[in-house]
Amino acid sequence: MIEHPAYTVEPWCLRETELNLSVLAQSESVFALANGHVGWRGNLEEGPHGLPGSYLNGVHELQPLPYAEAGYGYPESGQTMINVTDGKVVRLLVDDEPFDPRYGELTSHQRVLDFRGGVLRRTAEWTSPTDRRVRITSTRLVSFTQRAVAAVHYEVEPLDGAASLVLQSELVANEQLPGGGEDPRAAAAAVSRLSPEQNFAQGTRLRLVHHTERSRLRVAAAADHIVDGPEGTVTSAESEPDVSRLTVAAKVAKGQRLRLVKFVSHGWSARRSLPEVHDQVDAALALARSTGWAGLLAEQRRYLDDFWAGADVEVHGDARIQQAVRFGLFHVLQAAARGEERAIPAKGLTGTGYDGHSFWDIESFVLPVLTYTAPQAVAPVLRWRHATLPTALERARQLGLQGSAFPWRTITGEECSGYWPAGTAAFHVNADIADAVLRYVGATGDEEFEKGPGLDLLVHTARLWRSLGHHDTEGVFHIDGVTGPDEYSALGRDNLYTNLMAQQNLRAAAETAVRHPRRARELGVDDEEAASWRDAADRMAVPFSDVLGVHEQSAGFTRLESWDFDGTGPEKYPLMLHYPYFDLYRKQVIKQADLVLAMQTRPDAFTAQEKARNFAYYEPMTVRDSSLSACTQAVLAAETGHLRLAYAYLGEAALMDLENLEHNTRDGLHIASLAGTWIALVKGFGGMRRQGTSVAFAPRLPEQLSRLCFTVMLRQQALRVEVTGTEARYTVLGGRPLDVFHHGEPVALTPSETVELPLPPAPSQPEPRQPPGREPASARKS
C-alpha cells in the first residue's frame, strides 16, 4: 500500500491522497483508531466497508471447538472478538442522492492519520449523479483521556449552489460481515448475533443495549450530537432494536455549511444490570459533551505530547523507516494505553484476525517497547495475566502439573487453541510472562508490583518448570515434549529458548522470594523449594552440537533431515498452508526466529563467537512465515556485524502492514511486528539490552542511516541516546544520575550532561544466506 502513489511518505502522519476501493479493508486497518479499550476501524462514515469494525477489549462470543476425536485436556470452547455497536456511521444525502464514492464522481479524496494529534482527518469532493457538487470533511478520534469515548466532527458544504442535505447519524448493531476465507490467521466464522435489550432515541440522544448469546456480556453504546446548520435546520430521532438514528435535514446555500459533532460512548459488563450499563454509557457521554469537541482535541494532543517526549525515535537517512517507526509506536500505544487490566490482542483493536486473541508475543515483543516508552501501560497488562492466574493454575492441574499453565491463545484466560502441539505444548509463554515481570520491575523500580502480582507470577511459573522438567541420572535438568517459538518444530526435547527462559524464571523466583520473605511464606515458598529452583536452573540442559560448533534449537535438531528449499517455489509460502505439519516437524526448517530469539533475550548465555556461529547456521533455514521473525533477525544481524542484512530485516518488520507483506492486513495490523520496528532500531542498531536494573548499549549504524536518536524511560526519567556513524551521545533528561554500559564499559551519567563516546568497528563476518527466495522483502525488491 505505502508504495502506491496515493500514499505519501511523511514523518508524522500517514496520508492517502485518493480512495482505492480495491484495498479498502487494508486501509481500514492502517487508519484504525483505538485506545486499548475502544477500537474503531478506519471505515468510511457513509460506507462502503471492506470489514466493518468497532471493538471493545474483552467483548467476545463463545463457540465450540469441534474435534474429530475427543482427547483428555482438549479445550472445549473458543473465544472470538466480535464487532459491537458501530457509532461511526454518518450517512449523507444530497438532493435525495446518497453519498457513495462508487456512484457519481469522486473528484478528490484524502485521509490523514495524524500521529501527534491522534485523529483521522478526511476530506472529499463529490459530484452526485444529478451534478450537485459538495465538499465533505470529517475528523474522528478515540480518546486517550476518556477511555469510553470516541467522537466525529462531520461537515458538508455545497460548492455550486443551494442543496438539500440530510445527515443520518446512527448507532448500528449486527452489521453484515464478510467471511474470513481459509487462512487460519483470519477470524473464525461469524458467531451469533447480538441480542437486543434496549433501544432509545430522544432529542439528539441515542442508545442501544445488547447482550451476547453465549458469553452473556452486556454491551451498550450511546451517542449525543451538536448540530450547527442554517436557519430552518430540523432534527428528528427514531430507534428500533438494532438501529438508533438521528436525522438532520437542512436547505444549505453555497458558502454555508451543515456541521454535526457526534459524541459516542461505549461500555460493557459481564455483571452489571441493564440500568447500570446504560447509566454507565450515559455518564461517559455527559462528560464528553461537557468537554466539547475542542476540549477532546486538546486533551488528545496533550496526552500524545507527553508520550512522544519519552518515546520518539528519529531516523536520518530513510524517510520510509522514519514514518514507519512512528506509525508503529502510535499503533502500539493505541493497542494498550487504556486497556486497564485487559489483554492486548495480537491485532490490537484494528481487526478480528487471530479471533482477537492474545499470544506470547505481547509479553515478548509489545511489552518490551511499552516498558521503555509508556511504562504506565505495562503493569495493567501484567495484572490481567495475574487476574487469570486461577485459570492457569487449574489448567496446570488438569495437565497433571504444578504451578500455572498459561494459555497459548486467549481473551479471558482460558486456552483457546484447539491444536495442542502448537498450543498446550508451547509452555514457554509462562517464562515470557516472567521475563516481562522482570523487565518491568527492573526498568521502573516498582517494588509494590514486584512483591504483589509480580512475585505471584514468578512463583507459580517457576513451579511449573520444576514440575514439567526432570533431572536425569547425571543430574542434568531436562524439559521434554515442548514447543518453542518456532511453530514448525513441535514436541522437542530441551528446546533451547524454553530452557534458557525457564532458567531465568527459576532463578528470579528464588531471588525475589528472598527479597520478600513474608510474601513468599504466604505463597508457601520455603527454603527447600527455592533451593530446588536454583538447582534446576544451575543444571539446566543446554543442547550443543560439538560436531558443528553451534547450539541446537532443541536436542537433536541439527541431525534432522534438511528441508528441500531449492524444490520449494515461492508460491508454496507460507509452508503451513501447503505442507502437512508432520513433514515440517521432522525437518530442519524454521518458521520464525527461535534460537536466535534466545540469543536476544538471554545474551548472557552465549559468547560473541557462539552468537556469530549460531546466527550463520540458522539463517539459511529460517523462512519467516511469521511476522514475529524479521525484527529478531535484525537485532542479531546487527550484533554479529551484518549491518546491511539487519537494515533489510528492519525494512521488512517496519513495512509489514504498510506494504501488506503477509497479505492479511485486511484482518488487522500485526501489533508485534509494529513493535518490532522499535526493537530492530533500538535493540538492533542501538544495541540496547537489559543488564540487571540497568541497561547496556552497543550502538552501530548501517551505511544507509546517518543518525539514530531515541529516548527510553528508566526509573521515571528519560535517557536520550543519539548515534551517528562514529560516536554515541548519552543524555539524562531527568534529575537523577544513571549508570549504563557502552559496548561493555560502565558509564556514569549525570543529569543534563551529554557524554560522547566512540563506536568500535563492527566485527567482520561473511554474510549468511537465506533460503532461496526468502531474503528480506526489502532486499528482494532491490
Side-chain angles (χ1 to χ4, degrees):
M1 290 176 57
I2 200 66
E3 292 190 338
H4 190 280
Y7 290 86
T8 63
V9 178
E10 301 179 47
W12 282 104
C13 71
L14 178 66
R15 186 185 307 271
E16 177 194 63
T17 59
E18 65 182 67
L19 184 64
N20 185 349
L21 295 177
S22 67
V23 293
L24 189 57
Q26 291 96 306
S27 68
E28 290 168 348
S29 294
V30 300
F31 286 125
L33 293 174
N35 63 9
H37 177 62
V38 175
W40 278 9
R41 280 175 62 83
N43 306 123
L44 305 178
E45 284 90 353
E46 315 84 4
H49 301 151
L51 176 65
S54 297
Y55 310 112
L56 284 171
N57 195 347
V59 173
H60 65 281
E61 185 57 294
L62 301 176
Q63 56 185 352
L65 290 175
Y67 301 96
E69 296 182 14
Y72 178 79
Y74 284 8
E76 296 179 357
S77 180
Q79 302 164 357
T80 300
M81 184 170 75
I82 61 171
N83 185 33
V84 298
T85 306
D86 189 354
K88 302 183 295 293
V89 178
V90 180
R91 306 192 195 280
L92 166 65
L93 290 87
V94 181
D95 287 351
D96 293 331
E97 286 283 354
F99 169 45
D100 187 324
R102 295 168 295 185
Y103 302 95
E105 182 183 1
L106 190 65
T107 53
S108 68
H109 192 278
Q110 179 171 277
R111 286 187 285 180
V112 179
L113 182 64
D114 182 346
F115 309 149
R116 285 198 281 200
V119 297
L120 176 63
R121 294 190 294 271
R122 177 183 176 219
T123 304
E125 291 189 7
W126 180 67
T127 302
S128 74
T130 56
D131 291 327
R132 184 66 69 195
R133 292 176 58 236
V134 294
R135 178 182 296 120
I136 303 105
T137 60
S138 71
T139 304
R140 74 170 65 151
L141 63 81
V142 173
S143 175
F144 286 117
T145 56
Q146 301 184 31
R147 76 167 192 152
V149 170
V152 181
H153 183 285
Y154 194 95
E155 181 176 280
V156 188
E157 177 187 0
L159 298 179
D160 59 357
S164 297
L165 303 180
V166 176
L167 298 179
Q168 295 174 319
S169 174
E170 298 179 345
L171 298 175
V172 183
N174 292 315
E175 294 171 294
Q176 184 174 355
L177 301 174
E182 297 181 359
D183 191 334
R185 298 168 294 183
V191 293
S192 298
R193 296 168 58 86
L194 291 167
S195 297
E197 289 192 308
Q198 182 190 81
N199 63 89
F200 168 87
Q202 186 175 51
T204 60
R205 294 174 56 223
L206 312 172
R207 187 192 315 116
L208 291 177
V209 183
H210 289 73
H211 68 261
T212 57
E213 293 182 356
R214 292 189 287 272
S215 57
R216 308 304 297 175
L217 305 179
R218 181 166 282 119
V219 181
D224 201 352
H225 303 79
I226 297 174
V227 178
D228 181 12
E231 185 177 353
T233 300
V234 296
T235 64
S236 60
E238 58 185 325
S239 188
E240 54 190 78
D242 284 343
V243 180
S244 194
R245 178 185 300 114
L246 174 73
T247 301
V248 181
K251 185 76 171 180
V252 183
K254 179 181 179 180
Q256 293 182 322
R257 299 177 182 179
L258 178 60
R259 297 185 183 91
L260 178 77
V261 178
K262 181 179 187 179
F263 304 98
V264 181
S265 63
H266 292 275
W268 71 275
S269 178
R271 298 184 178 90
R272 296 190 187 99
S273 66
L274 189 152
E276 289 173 321
V277 170
H278 81 59
D279 285 352
Q280 174 189 351
V281 292
D282 283 357
L285 195 59
L287 179 59
R289 171 122 190 187
S290 70
T291 305
W293 173 252
L296 287 173
L297 287 177
E299 288 180 356
Q300 195 85 334
R301 181 58 186 250
R302 285 194 296 271
Y303 185 97
L304 284 165
D305 283 347
D306 289 342
F307 169 72
W308 289 117
D312 191 26
V313 177
E314 298 176 43
V315 181
H316 290 200
D318 190 327
R320 295 185 314 157
I321 298 299
Q322 178 64 87
Q323 180 186 46
V325 68
R326 287 177 175 147
F327 173 81
L329 282 167
F330 179 67
H331 274 292
V332 168
L333 179 69
Q334 289 199 128
R338 300 302 304 272
E340 297 174 8
E341 302 193 19
R342 295 288 173 191
I344 301 176
K347 294 279 192 175
L349 298 177
T350 67
T352 53
Y354 302 109
D355 290 316
H357 292 166
S358 179
F359 295 77
W360 69 287
D361 42 313
I362 300 307
E363 281 82 12
S364 296
F365 294 85
V366 180
L367 292 193
V369 178
L370 291 171
T371 297
Y372 297 110
T373 60
Q376 72 280 0
V378 176
V381 179
L382 295 175
R383 288 196 181 96
W384 164 73
R385 284 291 193 187
H386 183 259
T388 68
L389 186 55
T391 303
L393 292 169
E394 176 57 34
R395 177 64 170 160
R397 284 193 290 271
Q398 183 185 30
L399 298 174
L401 300 169
Q402 297 175 7
S404 57
F406 283 96
W408 174 242
R409 56 188 301 170
T410 190
I411 293 177
T412 65
E414 291 85 5
E415 179 62 75
C416 290
S417 174
Y419 185 62
W420 66 270
T424 299
F427 288 102
H428 66 84
V429 65
N430 295 273
D432 301 324
I433 294 167
D435 184 51
V437 170
L438 299 177
R439 184 189 309 110
Y440 170 74
V441 172
T444 64
D446 189 343
E447 185 176 333
E448 286 302 309
F449 180 87
E450 180 186 61
K451 71 179 182 182
L455 185 57
D456 288 351
L457 291 169
L458 291 173
V459 164
H460 289 297
T461 49
R463 284 173 172 160
L464 173 88
W465 300 119
R466 191 61 190 84
S467 170
L468 185 63
H470 68 97
H471 290 280
D472 66 15
T473 55
E474 297 178 353
V476 178
F477 191 77
H478 299 279
I479 303 175
D480 298 332
V482 299
T483 300
D486 170 30
E487 296 161 20
Y488 286 171
S489 304
L491 308 181
R493 186 183 191 206
D494 290 327
N495 170 256
L496 183 64
Y497 175 87
T498 303
N499 282 18
L500 290 180
M501 296 298 284
Q503 182 185 61
Q504 174 184 262
N505 190 170
L506 289 160
R507 286 174 175 162
E511 293 166 1
T512 308
V514 170
R515 284 197 297 275
H516 305 289
R518 180 176 176 180
R519 278 285 293 124
R521 286 194 297 273
E522 291 174 0
L523 294 169
V525 180
D526 56 25
D527 291 342
E528 183 178 352
E529 183 175 28
S532 74
W533 295 343
R534 286 189 289 267
D535 183 54
D538 292 343
R539 304 302 302 275
M540 186 67 70
V542 178
F544 188 85
S545 170
D546 293 319
V547 174
L548 298 172
V550 298
H551 287 86
E552 294 192 297
Q553 180 171 292
S554 57
F557 182 84
T558 59
R559 296 192 296 274
L560 297 177
E561 180 184 354
S562 296
W563 184 266
D564 180 14
F565 292 106
D566 290 331
T568 305
E571 76 282 357
K572 295 295 186 180
Y573 292 95
L575 299 179
M576 61 187 178
L577 300 184
H578 299 92
Y579 296 93
Y581 272 108
F582 165 73
D583 204 19
L584 298 169
Y585 287 164
R586 63 195 186 94
K587 294 179 181 175
Q588 290 190 65
V589 57
I590 299 172
K591 180 180 181 182
Q592 63 205 72
D594 189 307
L595 187 143
V596 172
L597 180 61
M599 294 192 292
Q600 176 187 316
T601 55
R602 286 292 315 276
D604 56 303
F606 305 87
T607 67
Q609 293 76 17
E610 288 171 341
K611 290 177 184 176
R613 290 197 302 270
N614 289 341
F615 185 76
Y617 182 81
Y618 287 97
E619 183 73 358
M621 63 184 72
T622 303
V623 297
R624 292 187 330 287
D625 283 347
S626 165
S627 63
L628 301 180
S629 196
C631 66
T632 299
Q633 289 170 270
V635 171
L636 267 296
E639 182 175 351
T640 54
H642 306 297
L643 296 176
R644 186 206 64 82
L645 181 59
Y647 174 73
Y649 279 133
L650 162 66
E652 179 168 302
L655 302 176
M656 183 66 61
D657 289 309
L658 290 174
E659 292 189 1
N660 194 22
L661 296 180
E662 290 209 339
H663 311 293
N664 61 352
T665 299
R666 71 178 306 279
D667 304 316
L669 302 179
H670 298 79
I671 300 300
S673 187
L674 295 178
T677 311
W678 184 96
I679 290 171
L681 285 166
V682 175
K683 293 191 174 185
F685 298 130
M688 180 177 169
R689 301 290 188 275
R690 187 170 85 239
Q691 192 154 323
T693 58
S694 183
V695 290
F697 299 92
R700 290 190 184 95
L701 294 185
E703 62 181 13
Q704 293 88 347
L705 302 181
S706 59
R707 178 175 174 269
L708 171 65
C709 186
F710 57 89
T711 302
V712 293
M713 301 300 298
L714 293 169
R715 302 287 172 137
Q716 293 80 53
Q717 57 188 348
L719 171 64
R720 182 179 176 87
V721 181
E722 182 180 2
V723 186
T724 64
T726 59
E727 66 179 10
R729 303 183 183 98
Y730 301 93
T731 307
V732 178
L733 304 180
R736 297 187 307 277
L738 280 176
D739 294 325
V740 300
F741 293 85
H742 172 80
H743 281 281
E745 297 298 322
V747 180
L749 302 175
T750 56
S752 303
E753 179 182 350
T754 298
V755 175
E756 300 179 0
L757 297 168
L759 304 184
S764 179
Q765 304 279 355
E767 188 166 299
R769 61 181 177 86
Q770 291 74 47
R774 302 305 291 171
E775 300 85 0
S778 53
R780 290 200 297 272
K781 291 181 180 179
S782 64

